[in-house]
Amino acid sequence: MLNEKLKGHDIILASGSPRRQDFFKNLGLDFEIRLKPVVEEYPSRLTHFEISNYLAQLKALPFKQELKPKDILITSDTIVWHDHTALGKPRNNQEAFSILKSLSNQTHEVITSVCFTTTTFEKTLHNITKVTFKALTDQEILYYINTYKPFDKAGAYGIQEWIGQIGVTKIEGSYFNVMGLPVHLVYKTLNTIAETT
């Protein structure tokens, strides 16, 4: 349905995340994957959704010179926000353990920002989901890290995986946002773009 509306547009998804790619497939969209390396660093003055907004926009920068008039570039970034700190992807087992230990028996926020870039405009939106974990035992945390190796995930976990199934007791907001994409907002925004361009 949306694909029909976007005929004449070329959608470029700049993400190596298999989860994000699956979301776009499930929306029935024709899209191309293009990847360019970006150093994901942000100014220390930024907080909360400012961080994910900045990083989503940063990921669009390397593509801007090569966009054609009918291209729609989509970049995104997800962070976990807990105790006034942004938790990104863990670099090793120790970091993953430390992150999950800090989330145990607590509520945190998962923030995903999505940046839509064309030759004529750039629009960035974000979505926030609150997630509560039960008290996780050290054994549960270690089992999850050793079995699932969540080093490509912000906050060191995937809600769709074992740890989410046994550990998440409450969720407020979009489940898919926690997986890495607020699909409902992407759908809405692409509809708007299709109707106005």
Side-chain angles (χ1 to χ4, degrees):
M1 191 166 76
L2 180 56
N3 207 39
E4 196 63 31
K5 287 185 181 179
L6 287 165
K7 267 195 172 159
H9 292 278
D10 292 310
I11 297 173
I12 302 159
L13 176 63
S15 174
S17 161
R19 294 169 298 282
R20 289 188 184 128
Q21 293 170 15
D22 282 345
F23 285 137
F24 274 73
K25 287 175 194 162
N26 292 339
L27 284 172
L29 294 172
D30 293 327
F31 64 96
E32 169 193 350
I33 296 162
R34 273 191 222 166
L35 303 175
K36 288 184 188 286
V38 174
V39 179
E40 296 183 27
E41 294 176 349
Y42 55 88
S44 57
R45 70 177 187 278
L46 299 181
T47 66
H48 208 239
F49 69 82
E50 293 171 343
I51 296 170
S52 50
N53 278 6
Y54 178 91
L55 291 173
Q57 292 164 4
L58 183 71
K59 290 175 182 179
L61 276 178
F63 295 90
K64 286 192 173 179
Q65 297 306 313
E66 63 189 50
L67 289 179
K68 298 183 177 70
K70 285 294 185 179
D71 287 347
I72 304 170
L73 173 72
I74 299 169
T75 52
S76 61
D77 191 79
T78 300
I79 64 165
V80 168
W81 184 257
H82 181 57
D83 202 18
H84 307 290
T85 305
L87 303 176
K89 298 168 185 172
R91 285 171 293 192
N92 51 46
N93 284 46
Q94 289 79 10
E95 270 191 20
F97 184 88
S98 174
I99 288 171
L100 288 170
K101 193 77 176 163
S102 75
L103 299 180
S104 174
N105 208 29
Q106 299 282 323
T107 298
H108 62 272
E109 293 181 325
V110 179
I111 310 168
T112 300
S113 295
V114 186
C115 179
F116 299 81
T117 306
T118 71
T119 54
T120 57
F121 75 90
E122 183 172 273
K123 177 185 177 72
T124 306
L125 52 86
H126 71 274
N127 193 245
I128 300 171
T129 305
K130 290 186 176 181
V131 179
T132 303
F133 269 111
K134 77 176 185 80
L136 298 164
T137 67
D138 288 359
Q139 289 83 356
E140 287 168 339
I141 294 172
L142 289 168
Y143 169 80
Y144 173 68
I145 293 168
N146 291 330
T147 307
Y148 290 87
K149 308 195 184 312
F151 307 115
D152 64 333
K153 296 177 178 70
Y157 78 94
I159 195 169
Q160 72 279 14
E161 294 177 342
W162 180 83
I163 196 105
Q165 293 166 18
I166 66 102
V168 172
T169 59
K170 188 178 179 185
I171 179 168
E172 297 173 68
S174 165
Y175 172 84
F176 299 113
N177 187 56
V178 185
M179 283 180 68
L181 198 74
V183 186
H184 63 294
L185 288 183
V186 171
Y187 177 79
K188 181 182 176 184
T189 305
L190 285 174
N191 264 297
T192 303
I193 293 171
E195 287 159 7
T196 55
T197 59

